[in-house]
Amino acid sequence: MYAFVEGVRRLFGPAEIAAGGLLVFGIAGLVGSIVSMLVLSSGRGANLNMRAAFLEVVNDALGSVAVIMSAVVIALTGWTRIDALAGMLIAGLIVPRAITILREAGSILLESTPAGLDLDEVRRHILEVPHVVGVHDLHASTIATGLPVLTAHVVVEDACFAEGAAQMLGDLQACVADHCDVSVEHSTFQLEPPTYNDFEHVRHD
């Protein structure tokens, strides 16, 4: 906000600017930003902090390009108001980046259903797993960048408990990890016999 206000002030009251010095700082800033982008590019999808840092240096690189262009214009034409316009542009570039980060952070804090994951479709896939007779209390959320989690109560045939539940759990975890549009690697299932419904106090279908 301060950068935008200062840009407006200098637009109406332009200051004397040394184009040569401005160009040097712009080039130095661009080189530094490019190096930072190369360092951060491989890990920008790891978590929200890395993504925010990468977007920050991208914004800095664009700002350096604007500074270089304004320095060239000032050197060729003497029109110093271009510096104020460049400053306002740099300030404006911050807004979309901030909105993107805030939206993603808000989704994680609110534990929203992962984008692209259709719970009705997940329910259908689970019901197609052999020996499954019902699904309820199905919930999915995002607890960190790229880390969706899912929990569900799954009603299975009585024979599954007599024969052991390990294979049943493995089949369910493979189902949500491999058959959904969004792979859910972290899942927790509560296996229940058909008669367990009589003991549950609260049930959410």
Side-chain angles (χ1 to χ4, degrees):
M1 177 62 72
Y2 174 79
F4 187 84
V5 172
E6 181 65 14
V8 173
R9 188 186 69 79
R10 295 183 66 173
L11 187 64
F12 292 97
E16 185 176 345
I17 298 171
L22 189 63
L23 181 61
V24 170
F25 280 108
I27 293 174
L30 181 59
V31 171
S33 296
I34 291 174
V35 172
S36 298
M37 288 168 61
L38 293 174
V39 172
L40 295 171
S41 61
S42 60
R44 68 179 185 271
N47 55 60
L48 187 59
N49 288 336
M50 290 292 290
R51 177 173 169 78
F54 181 78
L55 291 176
E56 177 69 27
V57 296
V58 168
N59 184 76
D60 289 344
L62 294 174
S64 295
V65 171
V67 169
I68 292 170
M69 293 177 61
S70 64
V72 172
V73 170
I74 292 171
L76 295 177
T77 68
W79 189 50
T80 57
R81 284 185 172 86
I82 187 66
D83 179 65
L85 293 175
M88 294 166 65
L89 174 63
I90 293 170
L93 290 172
I94 297 173
V95 176
R97 180 200 69 205
I99 292 174
T100 299
I101 297 300
L102 285 173
R103 184 186 296 118
E104 187 171 347
S107 179
I108 292 172
L109 290 173
L110 295 174
E111 296 187 356
S112 303
T113 300
L117 187 66
D118 186 339
L119 290 183
D120 290 333
E121 187 74 6
V122 173
R123 185 188 301 274
R124 184 180 68 79
H125 280 299
I126 293 176
L127 288 172
E128 290 176 352
V129 175
H131 310 297
V132 173
V133 297
V135 181
H136 63 97
D137 289 274
L138 174 62
H139 305 287
S141 61
T142 303
I143 61 173
T145 304
L147 184 58
V149 297
L150 182 145
T151 62
H153 293 208
V154 181
V155 182
V156 299
E157 298 171 355
D158 288 325
C160 294
F161 296 96
E163 299 171 0
Q167 182 62 49
M168 189 76 250
L169 285 172
D171 291 343
L172 290 169
Q173 290 174 337
C175 173
V176 298
D178 301 333
H179 299 157
C180 301
D181 292 336
V182 176
S183 177
V184 182
E185 298 287 344
H186 298 270
S187 55
T188 303
F189 296 99
Q190 176 173 305
L191 301 183
E192 302 173 351
T195 56
Y196 187 75
N197 185 47
D198 298 334
F199 299 94
E200 286 198 311
H201 298 291
V202 180
R203 175 180 173 134
H204 302 282
D205 291 329

